[in-house]
Amino acid sequence: MNRARTQAGATANLPEPPFRGGQQPKGAPKASDYEPGTSKLILSACHHFEVLVVTEDPFPDEATQDRWAKETWTHACKMFDIQYRLTDRVQKLITDRVSHARGALKDTVRPLIPTEYKFSEGSDEDAKVENRALFVCLTDDNTPEPDPRFYYQDPETQRGFAEHAIIKRIIRERWFTRADAMGPSYPQQFSPIRAETLALIFTTIHFCLDQWADGIPRQGAKFWDKDYKPKYQDHIARIKDWINIDTDHAKETMQKLHDDARCASGATPISAPVKGLSATARARLQAERAEREQGA
């Protein structure tokens, strides 16, 4: 019997998570269907799963979702020092966080678009014309090889890649709202801000900008995988090109996005690892030693 079968057999023998009142309620599953302690366990796994979505792959396939659900459930059980079987019902609660993660980010981004990009919220024809032109300029979607401007610090000159003010606001308002929010709680996933997270932010901004394509904001549009996974792949390719071309500055920018957001959240700074003397200090000491040896 191989290791996977042994683990599966051991897991199958575990008790199921207990329901509140001892009976499975009807309707769509909710964490609150379970006993309070178990509900906290489920929510812990859900939050961890959502972290993986926004930092590793916002459009995970089913196999990845299943693997992450098992990993986050196992991790949560260890944290709470209790062992329950991962039932299909609980697994669905966890994997539903894929759409929740993207939807919550969309809800954060949408209201920022008019002010950050200077769209007019008027409904007259002049406003529509101006907004349509702004949309085309920012997304560049009408060209054979689109070169979007919306993520630059200065969209007009296209300088300051990934430094537009909206990116900082999104990171802070979605994941760093307080000291115990998702970002500060998972520094290993958010410090520095990863290429995958930046690409998800770019894709979500792109989705929200698309709602202005007709000059007035559309309502009720869906953030579908089939429409926006290709855009995500385009954006992450651009980000990786940026990292390869300007590696040091890119790393500094991604780290600063995290550090500024963490500071704003009120969380304590992450202690930097001890690295010994700086290069300048080493050079100074070496020069002092050389002077002593010359004078001896």
Side-chain angles (χ1 to χ4, degrees):
M1 182 180 294
N2 62 32
R3 182 180 177 185
R5 288 183 180 178
T6 301
Q7 290 176 336
T11 302
N13 292 328
L14 292 174
E16 292 190 3
F19 289 104
R20 186 187 296 267
Q23 289 188 333
Q24 177 175 326
K26 297 179 180 179
K30 306 183 296 295
S32 59
D33 293 340
Y34 296 83
E35 288 186 353
T38 309
S39 177
K40 291 179 181 179
L41 173 69
I42 293 169
L43 289 175
S44 176
C46 287
H47 292 159
H48 190 181
F49 184 93
E50 187 169 336
V51 168
L52 297 179
V53 172
V54 301
T55 62
E56 295 193 10
D57 185 356
F59 299 95
D61 57 29
E62 288 188 11
T64 301
Q65 292 182 45
D66 289 345
R67 175 168 55 83
W68 285 353
K70 291 179 175 67
E71 289 174 0
T72 56
W73 181 251
T74 299
H75 182 264
C77 286
K78 288 180 180 178
M79 282 182 57
F80 283 77
D81 194 23
I82 191 167
Q83 296 295 317
Y84 287 125
R85 180 155 56 90
L86 178 60
T87 62
D88 291 344
R89 196 171 192 274
V90 171
Q91 181 160 333
K92 185 178 188 308
L93 273 172
I94 297 172
T95 57
D96 278 351
R97 286 287 170 148
V98 174
S99 58
H100 177 272
R102 297 198 303 258
L105 183 59
K106 177 193 69 176
D107 291 343
T108 298
V109 175
R110 187 193 294 273
L112 304 180
I113 296 294
T115 53
E116 290 292 345
Y117 292 111
K118 306 297 189 294
F119 281 97
S120 171
E121 297 193 70
S123 57
D124 60 276
E125 193 57 35
D126 287 345
K128 292 179 183 179
V129 170
E130 182 180 330
N131 287 340
R132 284 195 292 266
L134 180 56
F135 161 76
V136 170
C137 177
L138 289 170
T139 63
D140 200 37
D141 278 345
N142 294 338
T143 60
E145 294 186 15
D147 186 14
R149 296 170 177 263
F150 63 80
Y151 39 70
Y152 287 95
Q153 184 178 43
D154 184 345
E156 185 174 347
T157 62
Q158 291 180 284
R159 296 181 64 85
F161 188 96
E163 294 183 52
H164 194 285
I166 196 173
I167 297 169
K168 300 174 186 178
R169 286 192 65 183
I170 291 166
I171 292 170
R172 292 177 186 177
E173 295 182 21
R174 179 66 198 113
W175 300 302
F176 289 84
T177 53
R178 57 185 189 274
D180 61 348
M182 188 177 289
S185 297
Y186 291 88
Q188 70 277 15
Q189 297 292 128
F190 284 96
S191 178
I193 297 299
R194 298 185 178 192
E196 291 80 3
T197 304
L198 265 183
L200 173 59
I201 292 170
F202 286 10
T203 307
T204 309
I205 296 172
H206 206 149
F207 167 83
C208 293
L209 287 172
D210 283 346
Q211 311 319 304
W212 287 86
D214 297 328
I216 55 174
R218 292 195 298 261
Q219 302 297 326
K222 302 296 184 182
F223 199 178
W224 294 119
D225 294 36
K226 63 183 178 65
D227 297 324
Y228 285 91
K229 184 173 181 178
K231 290 184 185 291
Y232 169 81
Q233 292 168 334
D234 289 341
H235 287 307
I236 199 166
R238 294 181 182 112
I239 291 166
K240 289 181 177 179
D241 281 347
W242 167 57
I243 293 170
N244 288 333
I245 292 168
D246 196 3
T247 304
D248 289 344
H249 181 68
K251 289 182 177 179
E252 179 183 336
T253 298
M254 295 161 86
Q255 187 63 59
K256 191 172 188 301
L257 285 170
H258 166 269
D259 293 349
D260 288 352
R262 186 178 180 89
C263 180
S265 76
T268 55
I270 299 173
S271 299
V274 177
K275 297 180 179 179
L277 293 169
S278 67
T280 302
R282 287 197 299 271
R284 186 172 60 248
L285 290 173
Q286 288 167 353
E288 288 179 12
R289 187 187 67 181
E291 288 177 5
R292 287 197 305 273
E293 291 174 349
Q294 289 175 358

mmCIF file of all heavy atoms in Angstrom, residues 112-119 134 138 149-152 155 164 166-167 205 209:
data_model
loop_
_atom_site.group_PDB
_atom_site.id
_atom_site.type_symbol
_atom_site.label_atom_id
_atom_site.label_comp_id
_atom_site.label_asym_id
_atom_site.label_seq_id
_atom_site.Cartn_x
_atom_site.Cartn_y
_atom_site.Cartn_z
ATOM 1 N N LEU A 112 -13.086 53.041 -6.834
ATOM 2 C CA LEU A 112 -11.874 53.860 -6.944
ATOM 3 C C LEU A 112 -11.632 54.370 -8.358
ATOM 4 O O LEU A 112 -10.884 55.337 -8.559
ATOM 5 C CB LEU A 112 -10.653 53.054 -6.481
ATOM 6 C CG LEU A 112 -10.687 52.450 -5.077
ATOM 7 C CD1 LEU A 112 -9.397 51.695 -4.806
ATOM 8 C CD2 LEU A 112 -10.911 53.523 -4.031
ATOM 9 N N ILE A 113 -12.234 53.717 -9.342
ATOM 10 C CA ILE A 113 -11.946 54.003 -10.750
ATOM 11 C C ILE A 113 -12.255 55.457 -11.144
ATOM 12 O O ILE A 113 -11.391 56.139 -11.724
ATOM 13 C CB ILE A 113 -12.689 53.015 -11.675
ATOM 14 C CG1 ILE A 113 -12.177 51.581 -11.453
ATOM 15 C CG2 ILE A 113 -12.547 53.419 -13.145
ATOM 16 C CD1 ILE A 113 -10.749 51.343 -11.859
ATOM 17 N N PRO A 114 -13.440 55.994 -10.867
ATOM 18 C CA PRO A 114 -13.739 57.358 -11.334
ATOM 19 C C PRO A 114 -12.774 58.410 -10.800
ATOM 20 O O PRO A 114 -12.304 59.265 -11.568
ATOM 21 C CB PRO A 114 -15.171 57.606 -10.835
ATOM 22 C CG PRO A 114 -15.742 56.244 -10.625
ATOM 23 C CD PRO A 114 -14.597 55.383 -10.187
ATOM 24 N N THR A 115 -12.455 58.350 -9.515
ATOM 25 C CA THR A 115 -11.592 59.386 -8.945
ATOM 26 C C THR A 115 -10.129 59.194 -9.337
ATOM 27 O O THR A 115 -9.437 60.172 -9.640
ATOM 28 C CB THR A 115 -11.705 59.392 -7.408
ATOM 29 O OG1 THR A 115 -11.470 58.082 -6.905
ATOM 30 C CG2 THR A 115 -13.090 59.841 -6.977
ATOM 31 N N GLU A 116 -9.647 57.962 -9.344
ATOM 32 C CA GLU A 116 -8.235 57.722 -9.631
ATOM 33 C C GLU A 116 -7.886 57.970 -11.098
ATOM 34 O O GLU A 116 -6.757 58.358 -11.409
ATOM 35 C CB GLU A 116 -7.843 56.296 -9.233
ATOM 36 C CG GLU A 116 -7.816 56.056 -7.732
ATOM 37 C CD GLU A 116 -6.691 56.807 -7.032
ATOM 38 O OE1 GLU A 116 -5.760 57.281 -7.711
ATOM 39 O OE2 GLU A 116 -6.759 56.921 -5.798
ATOM 40 N N TYR A 117 -8.853 57.754 -11.998
ATOM 41 C CA TYR A 117 -8.569 57.925 -13.428
ATOM 42 C C TYR A 117 -9.305 59.113 -14.048
ATOM 43 O O TYR A 117 -9.234 59.306 -15.260
ATOM 44 C CB TYR A 117 -8.897 56.631 -14.185
ATOM 45 C CG TYR A 117 -7.959 55.505 -13.841
ATOM 46 C CD1 TYR A 117 -8.401 54.399 -13.122
ATOM 47 C CD2 TYR A 117 -6.620 55.541 -14.222
ATOM 48 C CE1 TYR A 117 -7.542 53.359 -12.797
ATOM 49 C CE2 TYR A 117 -5.757 54.516 -13.904
ATOM 50 C CZ TYR A 117 -6.222 53.417 -13.187
ATOM 51 O OH TYR A 117 -5.355 52.403 -12.866
ATOM 52 N N LYS A 118 -10.007 59.874 -13.211
ATOM 53 C CA LYS A 118 -10.666 61.116 -13.656
ATOM 54 C C LYS A 118 -11.767 60.875 -14.684
ATOM 55 O O LYS A 118 -11.922 61.653 -15.637
ATOM 56 C CB LYS A 118 -9.624 62.093 -14.241
ATOM 57 C CG LYS A 118 -8.447 62.391 -13.320
ATOM 58 C CD LYS A 118 -8.898 63.081 -12.053
ATOM 59 C CE LYS A 118 -7.721 63.591 -11.229
ATOM 60 N NZ LYS A 118 -6.863 62.512 -10.686
ATOM 61 N N PHE A 119 -12.552 59.807 -14.507
ATOM 62 C CA PHE A 119 -13.736 59.625 -15.345
ATOM 63 C C PHE A 119 -14.819 60.603 -14.891
ATOM 64 O O PHE A 119 -14.972 60.867 -13.691
ATOM 65 C CB PHE A 119 -14.274 58.195 -15.246
ATOM 66 C CG PHE A 119 -13.530 57.194 -16.071
ATOM 67 C CD1 PHE A 119 -12.539 56.408 -15.511
ATOM 68 C CD2 PHE A 119 -13.820 57.031 -17.423
ATOM 69 C CE1 PHE A 119 -11.844 55.477 -16.266
ATOM 70 C CE2 PHE A 119 -13.136 56.101 -18.188
ATOM 71 C CZ PHE A 119 -12.135 55.319 -17.608
ATOM 72 N N LEU A 134 -10.974 58.247 -22.804
ATOM 73 C CA LEU A 134 -10.111 57.921 -21.674
ATOM 74 C C LEU A 134 -9.968 56.416 -21.519
ATOM 75 O O LEU A 134 -8.862 55.905 -21.277
ATOM 76 C CB LEU A 134 -10.684 58.541 -20.403
ATOM 77 C CG LEU A 134 -9.909 58.298 -19.096
ATOM 78 C CD1 LEU A 134 -8.463 58.766 -19.216
ATOM 79 C CD2 LEU A 134 -10.609 58.994 -17.930
ATOM 80 N N LEU A 138 -6.394 54.398 -21.714
ATOM 81 C CA LEU A 138 -5.879 53.648 -20.567
ATOM 82 C C LEU A 138 -5.663 52.172 -20.863
ATOM 83 O O LEU A 138 -4.704 51.557 -20.380
ATOM 84 C CB LEU A 138 -6.839 53.791 -19.385
ATOM 85 C CG LEU A 138 -6.895 55.159 -18.712
ATOM 86 C CD1 LEU A 138 -8.055 55.225 -17.732
ATOM 87 C CD2 LEU A 138 -5.579 55.467 -17.995
ATOM 88 N N ARG A 149 -1.889 51.638 -20.241
ATOM 89 C CA ARG A 149 -1.248 52.732 -19.510
ATOM 90 C C ARG A 149 -1.699 52.799 -18.053
ATOM 91 O O ARG A 149 -1.090 53.511 -17.262
ATOM 92 C CB ARG A 149 -1.606 54.069 -20.171
ATOM 93 C CG ARG A 149 -1.096 54.232 -21.592
ATOM 94 C CD ARG A 149 -1.705 55.478 -22.248
ATOM 95 N NE ARG A 149 -1.196 55.702 -23.591
ATOM 96 C CZ ARG A 149 -0.206 56.537 -23.882
ATOM 97 N NH1 ARG A 149 0.356 57.249 -22.908
ATOM 98 N NH2 ARG A 149 0.217 56.689 -25.116
ATOM 99 N N PHE A 150 -2.757 52.091 -17.704
ATOM 100 C CA PHE A 150 -3.435 52.361 -16.432
ATOM 101 C C PHE A 150 -2.638 51.992 -15.190
ATOM 102 O O PHE A 150 -2.961 52.431 -14.097
ATOM 103 C CB PHE A 150 -4.809 51.669 -16.383
ATOM 104 C CG PHE A 150 -4.775 50.163 -16.458
ATOM 105 C CD1 PHE A 150 -4.491 49.401 -15.344
ATOM 106 C CD2 PHE A 150 -5.074 49.522 -17.657
ATOM 107 C CE1 PHE A 150 -4.484 48.015 -15.405
ATOM 108 C CE2 PHE A 150 -5.066 48.132 -17.739
ATOM 109 C CZ PHE A 150 -4.780 47.382 -16.609
ATOM 110 N N TYR A 151 -1.586 51.189 -15.327
ATOM 111 C CA TYR A 151 -0.833 50.801 -14.139
ATOM 112 C C TYR A 151 0.425 51.634 -13.935
ATOM 113 O O TYR A 151 1.147 51.455 -12.961
ATOM 114 C CB TYR A 151 -0.485 49.316 -14.145
ATOM 115 C CG TYR A 151 -0.083 48.738 -15.487
ATOM 116 C CD1 TYR A 151 1.128 49.079 -16.071
ATOM 117 C CD2 TYR A 151 -0.910 47.839 -16.153
ATOM 118 C CE1 TYR A 151 1.497 48.543 -17.285
ATOM 119 C CE2 TYR A 151 -0.549 47.290 -17.366
ATOM 120 C CZ TYR A 151 0.658 47.647 -17.938
ATOM 121 O OH TYR A 151 1.028 47.119 -19.138
ATOM 122 N N TYR A 152 0.714 52.581 -14.851
ATOM 123 C CA TYR A 152 1.878 53.444 -14.687
ATOM 124 C C TYR A 152 1.594 54.570 -13.703
ATOM 125 O O TYR A 152 0.469 55.060 -13.608
ATOM 126 C CB TYR A 152 2.283 54.048 -16.029
ATOM 127 C CG TYR A 152 2.940 53.056 -16.969
ATOM 128 C CD1 TYR A 152 2.184 52.383 -17.929
ATOM 129 C CD2 TYR A 152 4.302 52.791 -16.897
ATOM 130 C CE1 TYR A 152 2.776 51.472 -18.798
ATOM 131 C CE2 TYR A 152 4.906 51.887 -17.763
ATOM 132 C CZ TYR A 152 4.143 51.232 -18.706
ATOM 133 O OH TYR A 152 4.726 50.330 -19.560
ATOM 134 N N PRO A 155 0.292 57.713 -16.402
ATOM 135 C CA PRO A 155 -0.215 57.024 -17.598
ATOM 136 C C PRO A 155 0.091 57.754 -18.900
ATOM 137 O O PRO A 155 0.266 57.110 -19.943
ATOM 138 C CB PRO A 155 -1.731 56.971 -17.345
ATOM 139 C CG PRO A 155 -1.869 57.041 -15.863
ATOM 140 C CD PRO A 155 -0.772 57.952 -15.410
ATOM 141 N N HIS A 164 1.143 53.258 -10.112
ATOM 142 C CA HIS A 164 -0.021 54.146 -10.048
ATOM 143 C C HIS A 164 -0.591 54.116 -8.633
ATOM 144 O O HIS A 164 -0.619 53.082 -7.969
ATOM 145 C CB HIS A 164 -1.089 53.696 -11.049
ATOM 146 C CG HIS A 164 -2.151 54.730 -11.282
ATOM 147 N ND1 HIS A 164 -3.144 54.991 -10.369
ATOM 148 C CD2 HIS A 164 -2.358 55.589 -12.312
ATOM 149 C CE1 HIS A 164 -3.931 55.947 -10.829
ATOM 150 N NE2 HIS A 164 -3.474 56.337 -12.007
ATOM 151 N N ILE A 166 -3.488 54.029 -7.501
ATOM 152 C CA ILE A 166 -4.608 53.126 -7.240
ATOM 153 C C ILE A 166 -4.125 51.763 -6.759
ATOM 154 O O ILE A 166 -4.800 51.099 -5.971
ATOM 155 C CB ILE A 166 -5.504 52.977 -8.497
ATOM 156 C CG1 ILE A 166 -6.860 52.370 -8.097
ATOM 157 C CG2 ILE A 166 -4.825 52.142 -9.572
ATOM 158 C CD1 ILE A 166 -7.867 52.341 -9.241
ATOM 159 N N ILE A 167 -2.942 51.345 -7.204
ATOM 160 C CA ILE A 167 -2.420 50.035 -6.808
ATOM 161 C C ILE A 167 -2.147 50.011 -5.312
ATOM 162 O O ILE A 167 -2.505 49.059 -4.605
ATOM 163 C CB ILE A 167 -1.158 49.699 -7.625
ATOM 164 C CG1 ILE A 167 -1.508 49.584 -9.117
ATOM 165 C CG2 ILE A 167 -0.506 48.409 -7.127
ATOM 166 C CD1 ILE A 167 -0.312 49.524 -10.033
ATOM 167 N N ILE A 205 -8.514 45.828 -12.213
ATOM 168 C CA ILE A 205 -8.639 47.212 -12.708
ATOM 169 C C ILE A 205 -9.124 47.191 -14.149
ATOM 170 O O ILE A 205 -10.019 47.961 -14.535
ATOM 171 C CB ILE A 205 -7.296 47.955 -12.605
ATOM 172 C CG1 ILE A 205 -6.859 48.115 -11.150
ATOM 173 C CG2 ILE A 205 -7.404 49.335 -13.277
ATOM 174 C CD1 ILE A 205 -5.452 48.682 -10.986
ATOM 175 N N LEU A 209 -12.357 48.963 -15.615
ATOM 176 C CA LEU A 209 -12.264 49.945 -16.705
ATOM 177 C C LEU A 209 -13.153 49.539 -17.876
ATOM 178 O O LEU A 209 -13.765 50.403 -18.522
ATOM 179 C CB LEU A 209 -10.812 50.074 -17.174
ATOM 180 C CG LEU A 209 -9.848 50.819 -16.253
ATOM 181 C CD1 LEU A 209 -8.422 50.691 -16.779
ATOM 182 C CD2 LEU A 209 -10.234 52.292 -16.135
#
